[in-house]
Amino acid sequence: MITVSALGSFALIVGLLTLTPGLDTALILRTAAVGHHRRVWGVVLGIQTGTLLWGVLSSLGITAVLTASHLAYAMLRWAGAAYLVWMGGRILIPALRRRQAGTEPGPLPDAADTPGKPDAGDSFRGGWRRGTVTNLLNPKMGAFYVAVLPQFIPTGASHLASGTMLAGVHILLATLWSGVLIAFARALRTSLRRPSARRILDRISGTVIAGFGVHLALGD
């Protein structure tokens, strides 16, 4: 059984990780800022679905095999990098084209979505899919759990049950922080309705997301 002290130590580690601005922060802020209320919570729950899966896989030792295999890790890293660069480009390129053409964005559509598809617009399912895929294609999440999780699982305890419990702590803290980010983005939404502000938002968020992809590709 995991002690309260161990849970507190783990919560401190993942809490600091959660508060550190990163890809998840950029994705949540941008989705909330453009006014997609259902989609942003889909993104949040998708990210946490990925976190739960990483926790379970790490508990079962599968991610240890992944990180030990240079080929498997490299394939996942490149797939994640390509996905992030593609997603960032789908946001950034339309914003740059609007700037060059002198046109303005409409009533806050998501530039990364394709009109007419079930996942387009303010879709919970589309947000969940994006959050899940983004998290699962980040091999550094798997490496983090492989390095940290075993230190908090007591000898003789069920790895699956203990790992799932620890992942649950991470999910709870991350979800609470996501709620804060969503509230912050919604408070600024009136200002972000201005075309110039929307253009800047898309350019920043697109660059940040694509930049994470480039960083992942060039990382060790």
Side-chain angles (χ1 to χ4, degrees):
M1 183 67 180
I2 302 177
T3 65
V4 175
S5 176
L7 279 176
S9 299
F10 181 78
L12 178 61
I13 293 173
V14 295
L16 292 174
L17 177 66
T18 299
L19 292 174
T20 303
L23 174 62
D24 293 349
T25 302
L27 191 56
I28 291 169
L29 283 175
R30 198 265 174 179
T31 307
V34 298
H36 290 161
H37 305 298
R38 291 187 297 273
R39 187 178 182 88
V40 71
W41 281 110
V43 168
V44 170
L45 295 182
I47 291 170
Q48 302 320 317
T49 298
T51 299
L52 178 61
L53 289 174
W54 278 122
V56 170
L57 293 175
S58 298
S59 302
L60 297 174
I62 297 175
T63 50
V65 176
L66 171 66
T67 53
S69 170
H70 294 295
L71 177 60
Y73 186 86
M75 290 177 62
L76 181 60
R77 179 164 60 88
W78 280 103
Y83 176 73
L84 292 178
V85 170
W86 172 82
M87 184 167 60
R90 295 274 291 184
I91 298 172
L92 179 61
I93 292 174
L96 294 176
R97 286 176 177 171
R98 287 195 301 264
R99 175 70 173 179
Q100 294 170 356
T103 57
E104 304 295 357
L108 298 175
D110 192 332
D113 292 328
T114 303
K117 290 189 176 182
D119 289 344
D122 192 9
S123 162
F124 180 90
R125 185 179 70 175
W128 179 85
R129 187 179 68 173
R130 173 166 292 179
T132 303
V133 172
T134 300
N135 193 295
L136 290 179
L137 287 180
N138 183 3
K140 293 186 177 181
M141 274 294 294
F144 170 79
Y145 269 94
V146 167
V148 173
L149 223 59
Q151 301 180 39
F152 293 92
I153 298 179
T155 304
S158 168
H159 280 222
L160 180 59
S162 299
T164 302
M165 179 186 296
L166 292 171
V169 172
H170 190 178
I171 290 169
L172 175 61
L173 294 176
T175 303
L176 291 174
W177 178 239
S178 296
V180 174
L181 293 176
I182 292 171
F184 174 75
R186 286 179 178 173
L188 296 178
R189 190 167 173 243
T190 300
S191 299
L192 293 174
R193 282 181 177 275
R194 296 197 300 270
S196 58
R198 171 66 192 281
R199 210 166 43 230
I200 292 172
L201 172 66
D202 283 349
R203 292 170 71 179
I204 292 175
S205 57
T207 300
V208 168
I209 293 171
F212 273 107
V214 173
H215 177 73
L216 184 60
L218 299 179
D220 297 329

